[in-house]
Amino acid sequence: MNFFHSCVSPLGSDRGCRAQERFTSGVHHFSRHGALTSLKSLCAALLPLLPQEMSVGYANGIRVMSMTHTGEPGFMLYIPIEYALHVYNEVMSVGQKYGIRNAGYYALRSLRIEKFFAFWGQDLNTLTTPLECGRESRVKLEKGMDFMGRDALLQQKQNGVYKRLTMFILDDHDTDLDLWPWWGEPIYRNGQYAGKTTSSAYSYTLERHVCLGFVHNFSEDTGEEQVVTADFINRGEYEIDIAGHRFQAKAKLYPVTSLFTHKRRKDDVELSDLHGK
């Protein structure tokens, strides 16, 4: 899927499997218009999380970062507001032969949820730790470098987490007849309340609804929170309550859409085989 996302603020993004081709082609196209962009600066911009300044068309001072929030290859462009329309027109013009098209908020929402990308302010907040949302690989505790919150993370790693962000794939949900999930739906594990969803979307890859939410381990006797482990999540039977009706769901700690990259229809794959992580 090839998208260019733009909004009122001076920020755009080029995302999708052919984003690099579009951008490389754009370098040559823009250079003919007197741009200062070079392939060297483009390659530098490909380095993840390292923004580089470059020119597009007649616009300069554009910051490019090889990062998206959809799980697809692509670029984030931070554009001076006076150049936003010009850059948009240039990228859309060059991208026509690669199938570029506009994408709105809900398209990007669907892509990031099926890739298990948590959204700041909705899935995550200032009280969420990397260990609770499956992002422990982003924190290098073994390097010995001190940073704010390091001691708390080391203690949490030793003691365990009390909630874990989980992906849920609805099993018996009819998208044409049943109400759609949004967010805030109760999550039940083995018939017991275990948390609530934080975001939901229809996955066009899996062709069914996907929800993200935190799973808790409440004691049946006292109601107190207990440690949540991967084994605790994988061994549970889950239901998502949508407007009073419970739908069966499979819980995943890692995205499964990569297994469907080369599948066009869900009939080609047995989702029942994806019981593990």
Side-chain angles (χ1 to χ4, degrees), residues 225-241:
E225 287 191 282
Q226 302 175 112
V227 172
V228 175
T229 64
D231 187 63
F232 173 83
I233 292 177
N234 290 329
R235 290 182 178 274
E237 298 291 334
Y238 293 90
E239 295 173 305
I240 305 296
D241 187 318

Side-chain angles (χ1 to χ4, degrees), residues 205-264:
T205 303
L206 302 176
E207 296 189 349
R208 57 191 62 201
H209 271 91
V210 175
C211 304
L212 305 184
F214 282 96
V215 172
H216 300 254
N217 182 6
F218 297 109
S219 170
E220 295 185 13
D221 298 326
T222 64
E224 294 183 357
E225 287 191 282
Q226 302 175 112
V227 172
V228 175
T229 64
D231 187 63
F232 173 83
I233 292 177
N234 290 329
R235 290 182 178 274
E237 298 291 334
Y238 293 90
E239 295 173 305
I240 305 296
D241 187 318
I242 304 175
H245 186 85
R246 295 189 188 183
F247 296 90
Q248 294 181 354
K250 288 185 171 65
K252 308 294 171 188
L253 290 173
Y254 301 96
V256 298
T257 52
S258 58
L259 300 178
F260 296 81
T261 302
H262 303 293
K263 305 292 184 179
R264 298 297 297 177

Side-chain angles (χ1 to χ4, degrees), residues 101-173:
R101 45 185 159 157
N102 291 303
Y105 170 78
Y106 289 107
L108 301 181
R109 177 190 176 99
S110 174
L111 290 172
R112 68 96 178 167
I113 289 177
E114 72 177 20
K115 283 288 189 177
F116 205 170
F117 272 37
F119 194 64
W120 178 259
Q122 184 167 349
D123 303 299
L124 311 177
N125 57 34
T126 55
L127 301 179
T128 310
T129 73
L131 303 180
E132 295 170 341
C133 62
R135 303 299 186 270
E136 56 270 14
S137 61
R138 305 292 181 88
V139 183
K140 306 300 182 183
L141 296 172
E142 69 280 0
K143 285 190 173 182
M145 297 179 61
D146 193 23
F147 56 86
M148 187 178 297
R150 182 175 184 272
D151 292 339
L153 284 179
L154 287 172
Q155 183 176 359
Q156 188 179 54
K157 184 177 181 179
Q158 180 178 354
N159 298 337
V161 298
Y162 289 86
K163 62 179 180 179
R164 179 68 185 268
L165 186 65
T166 307
M167 170 189 283
F168 296 94
I169 304 171
L170 297 189
D171 243 355
D172 57 347
H173 183 273

